[in-house]
Amino acid sequence: LVFIISLFLGTTITISSNHWVMAWTGLEINTLAILPLISKSHHPRAVEAATKYFLVQATASTLVLFSSMTNAWYTGQWDITQLTHSTSSLILTAAISMKLGLAPFHFWFPEVLQGSPLTTGLLLSTVMKFPPITLLFMTSQSLNPSLLTVLAILSVAMGGWMGLNQTQTRKIMAFSSIAHLGWMTIILVYYPKLTLLNFYLYAMMTAAVFLTLNSMKVLKLSTLMTAWTKAPSLSTILLLTLLSLAGLPPLTGFLPKWLIIQELTKQDMAPAAMIISLLSLLGLFFYLRLAYCATITLPPHTTNHMKQWHINKPISPSIAVLTTLSIMLLPISPMLAT
């Protein structure tokens, strides 16, 4: 409880601060609060994940501090929105990319997610990404558009390619997160509010997927294949939320992609829009594979899996609400477009 309260405290401090040092303090509180949650199980894998997380986040925080100090040195401004010095904004972009796990600084994220439990994985993929994204949002007018576009396309490509070969659900979710961050980054300079909208919808859909996986106790694809007989309703929910994450049209996940592609074409960035759309097909492939394993494959009878009993466990209200939101929000798009 103490750690979760600290987590939300750190997030609140960062997103409501105007001064760089306060933002940095919030990020540090966040990092220190999530570490015990990652290494809670005392498994060597979990301790390793916590160590990796700590090292990467400490480096990124130091870089945030360094960039803001450089900016203050040249301009005399500690205000977050006044980051005008070009070198500072470059260093800040690198620092926040490390914090978020944007390619080419993404290598720590799948490893850390694989070492932590599913609920902590959910926190790492959603809550922990919020403060850095708000910092990007506040400094968006002084960042370098071409650098961000390159980072974004790289992220979508890496998230798609590296996710193709995975059998662990947590790693697949990590690569999906990297790809989604690419979509958020590409539009950041041109329409920052779309970045935030994309983040909110992504957090909702990811929360639905993680909570469903958690109540089915699924950590790898082979367990997912036997899950249909055990919990058919949860498997159906998983199918729908995964397709929504993939961004297929009648579902919520299509909404941010559609608005982003529309805005990119308005900004004469049709080639970038085309590349990023084609690269997101890679992501679609592994979402479809997850969905296929969850609902369509029946396990062969020769496997040495224990047959699991059908559980009539009621679906938790949070899963129900999140799933409904991650399937049915597409009709609100005209309201957002105006």
Side-chain angles (χ1 to χ4, degrees):
L1 186 65
V2 170
F3 294 130
I4 287 173
I5 290 171
S6 311
L7 205 68
F8 286 104
L9 172 77
T11 306
T12 314
I13 289 175
T14 302
I15 63 181
S16 55
S17 59
N18 286 319
H19 195 286
W20 272 114
V21 176
M22 279 303 283
W24 172 80
T25 313
L27 291 172
E28 285 297 301
I29 293 174
N30 250 0
T31 304
L32 293 175
I34 195 88
L35 286 172
L37 297 176
I38 297 174
S39 58
K40 186 168 66 183
S41 64
H42 298 299
H43 190 275
R45 195 75 197 257
V47 178
E48 182 190 343
T51 314
K52 284 177 180 170
Y53 186 76
F54 172 72
L55 290 172
V56 172
Q57 297 296 317
T59 314
S61 293
T62 316
L63 281 175
V64 167
L65 209 51
F66 179 55
S67 84
S68 52
M69 280 169 67
T70 316
N71 188 59
W73 178 261
Y74 278 99
T75 60
Q77 278 288 352
W78 277 102
D79 200 305
I80 293 184
T81 48
Q82 304 294 322
L83 189 86
T84 45
H85 190 243
S86 57
T87 315
S88 298
S89 63
L90 274 176
I91 298 171
L92 182 83
T93 309
I96 302 284
S97 307
M98 279 172 100
K99 280 242 167 248
L100 288 171
L102 265 175
F105 306 104
H106 63 283
F107 290 98
W108 62 273
F109 189 54
E111 297 293 324
V112 170
L113 217 59
Q114 181 57 32
S116 45
L118 278 166
T119 38
T120 311
L122 167 61
L123 287 176
L124 279 171
S125 307
T126 54
V127 181
M128 299 302 290
K129 303 266 160 121
F130 189 41
I133 280 187
T134 50
L135 287 181
L136 277 183
F137 178 79
M138 287 191 274
T139 55
S140 60
Q141 73 285 351
S142 52
L143 299 173
N144 181 348
S146 45
L147 174 69
L148 284 177
T149 308
V150 170
L151 287 181
I153 289 175
L154 252 177
S155 294
V156 180
M158 296 307 286
W161 262 315
M162 295 175 79
L164 292 180
N165 216 4
Q166 302 296 334
T167 53
Q168 302 284 345
T169 46
R170 284 168 293 185
K171 275 199 173 166
I172 292 180
M173 292 311 293
F175 287 118
S176 113
S177 176
I178 293 167
H180 276 273
L181 281 169
W183 280 90
M184 291 173 220
T185 317
I186 199 163
I187 200 66
L188 182 74
V189 180
Y190 308 105
Y191 201 160
K193 283 184 180 161
L194 254 185
T195 299
L196 282 186
L197 170 77
N198 194 346
F199 177 75
Y200 298 143
L201 294 178
Y202 157 75
M204 222 164 51
M205 297 183 288
T206 305
V209 172
F210 266 111
L211 290 172
T212 314
L213 289 174
N214 191 38
S215 46
M216 285 158 72
K217 301 279 178 286
V218 169
L219 294 178
K220 50 183 189 288
L221 286 184
S222 55
T223 327
L224 194 57
M225 287 180 182
T226 56
W228 176 253
T229 46
K230 193 174 76 162
S233 49
L234 281 173
S235 296
T236 315
I237 283 178
L238 189 64
L239 166 79
L240 289 167
T241 40
L242 282 169
L243 292 181
S244 184
L245 261 179
L248 290 183
L251 308 167
T252 309
F254 180 58
L255 167 62
K257 285 190 165 55
W258 178 24
L259 292 176
I260 286 173
I261 289 173
Q262 186 184 344
E263 186 60 34
L264 284 175
T265 42
K266 278 184 196 166
Q267 302 284 351
D268 284 340
M269 289 180 65
M274 188 183 77
I275 293 169
I276 204 170
S277 313
L278 286 174
L279 286 172
S280 66
L281 290 176
L282 293 166
L284 175 65
F285 176 80
F286 61 76
Y287 291 124
L288 280 178
R289 199 178 66 195
L290 265 178
Y292 181 84
C293 287
T295 50
I296 301 171
T297 47
L298 285 170
H301 294 292
T302 51
T303 51
N304 49 9
H305 275 295
M306 287 177 66
K307 202 72 180 139
Q308 284 140 335
W309 285 93
H310 188 96
I311 306 170
N312 285 329
K313 200 173 65 172
I315 295 174
S316 75
S318 53
I319 294 184
V321 171
L322 285 167
T323 307
T324 312
L325 287 174
S326 45
I327 296 168
M328 299 191 169
L329 280 189
L330 189 65
I332 66 163
S333 49
M335 186 177 84
L336 297 168
T338 51

